[in-house]
Amino acid sequence: MRRSPLRLSVAALALAALLPVQARGDSDAGTGDSNSTVRYGWSLIRHALHLDAQDQVVSHSISLSTSEATLELELSNGRIRTISLRSGHVLVDGRQVGDFAKGGALDRGWRRLLESGAALTTRDLLTSLQSWRVPTLAGTDQAAKSQLDVALRGLDAVATRAPSSAAALSQRVSIPAPSADTSVVAAAAPAVPDEAPTAPAAEVEAAPTAAAQPSTLDAVFNDVRNIVAVFIACAMLGFGAVFFGRRHLEIVADTATHSFGRSFVVGLLGQLLLLPTFAMLMVGLVLTLVGILLVPFAAVAYLAAALVALAGGYLAVAHAVGETFTRRRMAHGAFVRAPNAYGYLFTGLVGLLGLWAAAALTGWMGPVVLVFKIAAMMVTWLAMTTGFGAVLLSRAGLRETFTGRRTGEMSGEYLWTTPPATPTAARMNMDQK
Amino acid sequence: MSGRALLLVTVAALGCNHSPRVNPAWRTVTAAQGLRGEHEATVNVQYGAGRFHLTPGTGDELYRMQLRYDENSFTPVREYDPATQTLHLGVKGRSGGIRVRSRHGDAPPSMDLALTPSIPLTLILEMGAVEADVDLGGLALHRATFRTGASSSHLRFARPNTAECEELTIEAGAAELHAEQLANSNCARVNFNGGVGEVTLDYSGTWRRSMTADVNVGVGSLKLKLPRSVGVSVHLNRFLASFDAAGFEKRGDTYVTSNFESAKNRLEMNVNASIGGVDVEWVNP
């Protein structure tokens, strides 16, 4: 909406005129500070000039007790406008905006209004508020009435729509500006034409529909955001694994690399046997009297171990993928600044999650995304299964049997320059024996 | 008796006390909400203690509620989720339990509720130690559940349900419960689970479809008011409970009326009664 310079000037002038009034009110009440005064004054001016959108009231609640008379108006944006006369103070949304005389004309009038409004619909109640006048007001009561009028201004009641008449246009009731003779704000600010807009029902309908169906861009953004979140989570887990258990992770990764097929088969069988093993474990524990006590702990430990094995295996495969890719690049002469486990893991995760990212970015293209999604799911399952198998084969990174690493004593062809006195491992063992 | 009803009874029994030191601060709250194009809604009402009154409301308001409660002990609940079209109404205790403080001569706390007859509703009423008067007649009910703890309740369908209802479930703890004109509910299934108490299930009203009913009664008397024009079969499972079989023919474990095969509408009941008596009264629809 384009705001004219005249409007802004009027707003500035009104703000300047309001400040002393509000400050005086606060000092009288002994509460508030200058910042809140400025904010509140500005909000009043925005209301007065209709710079805010019209608030639509969807429901109301009237609460009466000996010490309090409160009106709550639930707005369509979820906020609740609370107007309360309590303990001699007028409160709007919990903030004191004035005082009133207990048992005075304003107090009695407000209570009578709310009592009669209890039987009304929300729309009729707003109409009743619109026509509310208290003729004999003076002093603090008059100022408080003005604040009540301001608080009620700019509120619309959305007409109720039963299903049978859903197609009909909404009829809304607008509360016009309070009369100038009872409004301090209106006296302080120059008169501005009341141009309360009346939106057609189509606008009211369109908002929730648009909110319920996010745009394609939003959907793509959400998918990408999820992928990035998963990547960050995996990277953090992986970096933690490298930091605290680098040797084990590398052994699992090497097992997956050098015994890929074996790892996959073992992982597949391991996945199939997860549940039967769990059931057997539980049954075995239950059959032993002492074991029954361990059942909950064993169940939690088993599930935790299985999850750690699956996640660790996936990270190890990511490490293996990253290492293989990096070494091939280096073999082709590319310069890699720091070829270490962190870099391998990062690269591998980028590779493994790349298909998911591609699926997220092509979500708007329709059926094409299915290809990427299926490919991503298969790659993820393959990596997880192979990693799980590698974890099992390497005994969680403790056994190097399938890593392809050379261990033990060197063969003779490598030892031809070694002096006879060189203590090899075998000889040392023999000597110790 | 279901676990939930037992819990309500226990909470109500433990929570009800009379404290002379704190005077109740009575507050009256009236709340209403217009319909905003909803096509159906779920209404969940929880009310712990006092008087409860439910009637059909006007067509253009989703609900209208008037509460009278002690604000020292309770806070009102009035929540509506437009996304799921779910409405929660009632009161909850400030300290988590239910405490009813009243002075001699004070009117008891109360809740008067009117619900829209314009849209189909899934209704869940959970009452504690409540004197309830519930008229669901004229509402459009898809499904309804009425749970009550230690209470005296009248549930009736004064007018026919304007929608087809899948199931009406009534659960009562230690209660005196009278459910009247259940045929007007137009429910395919009417279930009753009762703990201890005096229960009347009146199946009069306008029959538009056949019904099945599971009736489980713990300790107490159960009176069945059955229309003569409806074919009725009662599969009875009882333990130390009497059954008035007048008007029935016994076929194995099942008691069947002579018009069961020929009747347009049928009522097939499974009755489990432990200790007490099952009386049958034949009425004209």
Side-chain angles (χ1 to χ4, degrees):
Chain A
M1 172 178 143
R2 186 176 179 277
R3 293 168 188 165
S4 69
L6 175 61
R7 265 197 175 185
L8 293 176
S9 306
V10 169
L13 183 62
L15 178 59
L18 257 183
L19 282 176
V21 176
Q22 188 60 38
R24 189 169 60 249
D26 280 350
S27 61
D28 291 341
T31 57
D33 52 41
S34 58
N35 285 338
S36 61
T37 301
V38 170
R39 277 200 303 273
Y40 187 69
W42 178 239
S43 70
L44 287 180
I45 290 166
R46 289 177 67 86
H47 267 299
L49 297 179
H50 287 260
L51 297 176
D52 281 334
Q54 294 271 299
D55 291 323
Q56 297 168 4
V57 181
V58 296
S59 74
H60 73 270
S61 170
I62 293 168
S63 177
L64 294 169
S65 68
T66 53
S67 60
E68 182 178 345
T70 299
L71 169 68
E72 288 183 1
L73 300 171
E74 184 187 1
L75 307 180
S76 57
N77 59 10
R79 288 191 299 118
I80 294 178
R81 169 71 48 81
T82 307
I83 302 168
S84 182
L85 267 62
R86 185 170 63 199
S87 307
H89 303 303
V90 177
L91 307 171
V92 175
D93 295 339
R95 186 181 186 283
Q96 184 181 335
V97 297
D99 298 320
F100 69 96
K102 290 186 76 173
L106 182 68
D107 191 13
R108 284 183 280 117
W110 178 250
R111 283 179 174 277
R112 203 176 302 127
L113 175 69
L114 295 191
E115 282 170 4
S116 62
L120 301 177
T121 63
T122 303
R123 186 168 49 154
D124 293 340
L125 176 65
L126 285 175
T127 308
S128 175
L129 292 166
Q130 167 195 0
S131 58
W132 181 45
R133 295 286 182 276
V134 186
T136 56
L137 288 180
T140 55
D141 275 5
Q142 187 177 7
K145 172 68 165 64
S146 305
Q147 298 295 336
L148 290 176
D149 289 337
V150 170
L152 290 167
R153 192 178 176 190
L155 299 176
D156 282 352
V158 178
T160 55
R161 285 181 291 120
S164 55
S165 58
L169 291 180
S170 291
Q171 296 174 351
R172 305 196 303 174
V173 176
S174 297
I175 298 181
S179 58
D181 58 342
T182 60
S183 173
V184 172
V185 177
V192 175
D194 188 3
E195 45 185 58
T198 310
E203 291 178 22
V204 181
E205 294 282 359
T209 308
Q213 295 176 347
S215 66
T216 305
L217 192 61
D218 287 341
V220 170
F221 177 75
N222 283 337
D223 289 347
V224 171
R225 190 179 57 184
N226 290 337
I227 298 298
V228 171
V230 170
F231 176 81
I232 291 173
C234 287
M236 291 181 72
L237 276 176
F239 292 166
V242 171
F243 187 80
F244 291 107
R246 180 173 180 168
R247 180 173 168 272
H248 302 292
L249 187 74
E250 286 179 345
I251 289 175
V252 177
D254 288 348
T255 303
T257 304
H258 291 279
S259 307
F260 181 83
R262 194 192 303 260
S263 295
F264 176 74
V265 171
V266 170
L268 191 61
L269 290 174
Q271 286 177 359
L272 293 174
L273 290 173
L274 266 178
L275 276 179
T277 309
F278 180 72
M280 286 172 62
L281 176 66
M282 293 298 109
V283 170
L285 285 173
V286 168
L287 289 178
T288 63
L289 290 177
V290 181
I292 292 175
L293 300 173
L294 297 175
V295 165
F297 304 103
V300 172
Y302 184 86
L303 291 176
L307 287 176
V308 167
L310 284 167
Y314 182 78
L315 292 173
V317 170
H319 182 284
V321 169
E323 184 175 4
T324 304
F325 179 76
T326 305
R327 288 194 185 283
R328 284 184 184 171
R329 279 187 66 211
M330 292 167 69
H332 284 86
F335 173 72
V336 178
R337 183 180 296 274
N340 56 32
Y342 295 101
Y344 298 154
L345 196 70
F346 185 89
T347 309
L349 283 175
V350 168
L352 289 179
L353 293 175
L355 277 173
W356 286 109
L361 289 171
T362 55
W364 57 275
M365 293 173 68
V368 176
V369 71
L370 276 178
V371 177
F372 284 107
K373 278 191 176 173
I374 291 171
M377 286 172 69
M378 288 185 65
V379 167
T380 303
W381 174 75
L382 190 67
M384 204 163 271
T385 303
T386 307
F388 185 57
V391 169
L392 295 179
L393 280 175
S394 66
R395 309 291 190 268
L398 294 172
R399 197 170 72 164
E400 300 181 6
T401 308
F402 301 100
T403 58
R405 297 177 182 175
R406 296 189 181 279
T407 56
E409 187 180 8
M410 288 182 174
S411 63
E413 69 179 298
Y414 295 105
L415 291 173
W416 66 275
T417 57
T418 305
T422 300
T424 63
R427 285 176 191 163
M428 286 175 73
N429 289 338
M430 287 175 62
D431 292 343
Q432 285 171 0
K433 288 174 186 175
Chain B
M1 184 157 99
S2 72
R4 196 156 191 168
L6 185 63
L7 181 65
L8 276 171
V9 173
T10 309
V11 168
L14 292 175
C16 292
N17 64 358
H18 293 265
S19 170
R21 287 174 291 182
V22 182
N23 288 329
W26 295 110
R27 176 181 287 267
T28 303
V29 170
T30 304
Q33 179 173 316
L35 285 169
R36 286 181 272 167
E38 291 92 346
H39 295 290
E40 60 181 359
T42 299
V43 180
N44 193 327
V45 181
Q46 290 185 314
Y47 192 61
R51 286 182 182 162
F52 178 77
H53 188 215
L54 172 61
T55 54
T58 60
D60 54 355
E61 280 187 336
L62 178 60
Y63 74 92
R64 172 168 290 273
M65 173 179 72
Q66 181 159 3
L67 273 172
R68 184 174 186 274
Y69 65 98
D70 175 12
E71 64 179 330
N72 289 330
S73 304
F74 295 101
T75 54
V77 175
R78 187 175 72 94
E79 296 168 358
Y80 180 67
D81 183 354
T84 58
Q85 300 184 344
T86 303
L87 175 68
H88 291 271
L89 295 173
V91 293
K92 63 180 179 184
R94 284 189 182 278
S95 57
I98 300 171
R99 291 172 182 274
V100 180
R101 298 188 181 95
S102 62
R103 291 182 301 186
H104 186 67
D106 275 349
S110 62
M111 177 173 179
D112 291 289
L113 178 63
L115 294 173
T116 180
S118 301
I119 58 171
L121 298 176
T122 297
L123 181 63
I124 301 163
L125 302 173
E126 296 185 70
M127 307 285 116
V130 172
E131 189 179 333
D133 182 10
V134 177
D135 181 5
L136 303 178
L139 295 178
L141 292 174
H142 261 336
R143 183 182 286 267
T145 302
F146 180 75
R147 295 192 184 102
T148 179
S151 69
S152 169
S153 303
H154 279 81
L155 170 68
R156 65 178 173 278
F157 288 81
R159 285 181 290 158
N161 183 2
T162 58
E164 282 207 345
C165 169
E166 293 172 21
E167 191 172 47
L168 167 65
T169 302
I170 305 169
E171 295 178 6
E176 178 187 346
L177 177 91
H178 300 281
E180 299 167 9
Q181 295 180 282
L182 291 173
N184 281 341
S185 69
N186 199 22
C187 290
R189 238 182 133 69
V190 176
N191 298 327
F192 174 80
N193 293 304
V196 181
E198 181 186 335
V199 178
T200 303
L201 299 179
D202 171 12
Y203 286 90
S204 64
T206 306
W207 279 79
R208 286 175 286 173
R209 65 197 298 193
S210 293
M211 278 188 193
T212 60
D214 281 338
V215 178
N216 300 303
V217 182
V219 180
S221 68
L222 168 66
K223 177 183 267 190
L224 298 173
K225 290 188 175 181
L226 303 174
R228 295 179 201 280
S229 60
V230 174
V232 181
S233 77
V234 177
H235 181 80
L236 186 65
N237 187 5
R238 57 181 167 148
F239 174 72
L240 296 179
S242 62
F243 177 62
D244 176 11
F248 287 102
E249 300 167 5
K250 190 170 184 185
R251 297 179 190 170
D253 292 338
T254 306
Y255 295 86
V256 183
T257 56
S258 56
N259 64 343
F260 184 72
E261 280 80 13
S262 60
K264 180 184 174 188
N265 295 302
R266 295 174 186 169
L267 172 61
E268 295 179 51
M269 307 183 77
N270 280 309
V271 177
N272 295 304
S274 295
I275 300 173
V278 181
D279 297 325
V280 176
E281 181 182 333
W282 294 100
V283 296
N284 293 318

